[in-house]
């Protein structure tokens, strides 16, 4: 958390300092970007991102973004079942948590391209509402030589009788919503020489869900989920 505050503060002063510099004119009025996200709470693949940017001055854009990412509890571990022929499961997990985020922000050009082969570096801050989508996590469980599909219950289940994870769709009809908010600070590196663009964005983001979310009932429950992330963007300039 201290690292998050330090980097966020440094980013703020970097953006503030950039206003005193001379910027080259950049002839992009709009940008539409979509990407895939990897973050410290989301496992191998965090989720998907969509971002719209509109120029409001020679060196600044206003941005509207949407993200759908998977949030995992830090205590989650995947195990291989001893009776499930190689199937895996997460012991102690009761719910999936997905965050559907809407974000409004500002993106400032710190360094413009000197030529078509150069790199443009932007700094962005954004915030908005988060909709937490909580979906029950089901496992396949062996009891009395029969297989049952059950939600995690430590009072009636043992580790060695788990066959594996059930389908995600088993709990989709029990989806519930947890409202929250999010805030993001990031640096964007755009290096495409044409109207089609490729970019990498790195930064920090925090989701806050008042009251917490019971992803794993036997572990600590969190209300605030700070995360470092990297997003690979593709898109189009207009």
């Amino acid at each position: 958390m201290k690292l998050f505050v330090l980097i966020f503060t440094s980013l703020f002063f970097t953006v503030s300092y950039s206003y005193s510099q001379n910027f080259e004119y950049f002839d992009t009025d709009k940008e539409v970007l979509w990407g895939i996200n990897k973050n410290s709470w989301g496992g191998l693949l965090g989720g998907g991102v969509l971002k719209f940017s509109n120029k409001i001055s020679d060196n600044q854009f206003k941005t509207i973004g949407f993200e759908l990412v998977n949030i995992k509890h830090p205590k989650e571990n995947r195990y291989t079942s001893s009776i499930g022929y190689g199937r895996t499961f997460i012991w102690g997990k009761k719910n999936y948590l997905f965050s559907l985020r809407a974000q409004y922000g500002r993106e400032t050009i710190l360094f413009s391209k000197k030529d078509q082969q150069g790199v443009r570096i932007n700094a962005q801050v954004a915030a908005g509402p988060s909709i937490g989508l909580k979906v029950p996590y089901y496992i396949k469980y062996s009891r009395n030589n029969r297989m049952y599909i059950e939600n995690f219950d430590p009072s009636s289940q043992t580790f060695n009788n788990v066959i594996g994870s059930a389908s995600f769709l088993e709990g989709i009809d029990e989806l519930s919503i947890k409202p929250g908010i999010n805030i993001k600070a990031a640096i964007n590196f755009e290096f495409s020489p044409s109207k089609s663009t490729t970019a990498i964005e790195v930064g920090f983001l925090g989701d806050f869900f008042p009251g917490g979310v019971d992803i794993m009932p036997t572990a600590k429950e969190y209300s605030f989920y700070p995360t470092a992330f990297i997003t690979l963007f593709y898109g189009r300039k207009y």
Side-chain angles (χ1 to χ4, degrees), residues 3 18 26 32 51 82 85 94 126 132 138 210 218-219 231:
L3 179 62
S18 69
F26 192 78
V32 179
K51 185 170 76 172
S82 59
Y85 303 100
K94 189 173 183 66
Y138 279 89
T218 58
T231 301

Side-chain angles (χ1 to χ4, degrees), residues 14 25 69-70 72 82 84 103 126 142 161 170 176 208 226 232:
T14 301
Y25 179 77
V69 299
N70 181 22
K72 293 187 175 184
S82 59
Q103 298 165 338
S142 177
N161 280 9
E170 292 290 344
S176 60
F208 176 68
L232 178 61

Side-chain angles (χ1 to χ4, degrees), residues 17-164:
Y17 173 76
S18 69
Y19 279 107
S20 65
Q21 308 304 301
N22 292 323
F23 289 88
E24 296 179 357
Y25 179 77
F26 192 78
D27 61 357
T28 296
D29 292 320
K30 297 181 180 180
E31 296 182 1
V32 179
L33 301 172
W34 57 93
I36 53 175
N37 173 282
K38 163 68 177 172
N39 63 74
S40 53
W41 289 82
L44 181 62
L45 182 62
V49 182
L50 180 64
K51 185 170 76 172
F52 302 91
S53 301
N54 289 277
K55 187 171 71 174
I56 55 178
S57 69
D58 285 351
N59 68 308
Q60 193 170 68
F61 293 82
K62 67 177 180 180
T63 63
I64 296 175
F66 302 94
E67 302 184 1
L68 178 61
V69 299
N70 181 22
I71 297 178
K72 293 187 175 184
H73 194 283
K75 295 296 184 180
E76 286 190 28
N77 290 299
R78 186 167 290 277
Y79 300 94
T80 300
S81 171
S82 59
I83 60 173
Y85 303 100
R87 295 177 181 146
T88 61
F89 64 96
I90 301 169
W91 177 249
K93 185 179 180 74
K94 189 173 183 66
N95 294 295
Y96 295 100
L97 176 62
F98 300 91
S99 181
L100 177 60
R101 305 169 181 144
Q103 298 165 338
Y104 178 82
R106 289 289 188 269
E107 190 165 282
T108 300
I109 301 174
L110 301 181
F111 299 99
S112 294
K113 288 185 177 183
K114 300 299 182 181
D115 54 54
Q116 286 296 310
Q117 302 303 318
V119 178
R120 188 184 74 179
I121 303 176
N122 300 346
Q124 183 189 18
V125 290
S130 294
I131 299 176
L133 306 176
K134 192 171 71 170
V135 179
Y137 171 77
Y138 279 89
I139 56 174
K140 295 178 180 179
Y141 191 81
S142 177
R143 182 178 287 109
N144 301 321
N145 294 319
R146 297 185 62 183
M147 187 187 76
Y148 296 85
I149 295 178
E150 302 176 348
N151 195 217
F152 175 69
D153 182 359
S155 67
S156 64
Q157 296 168 349
T158 60
F159 180 90
N160 290 330
N161 280 9
V162 180
I163 299 171

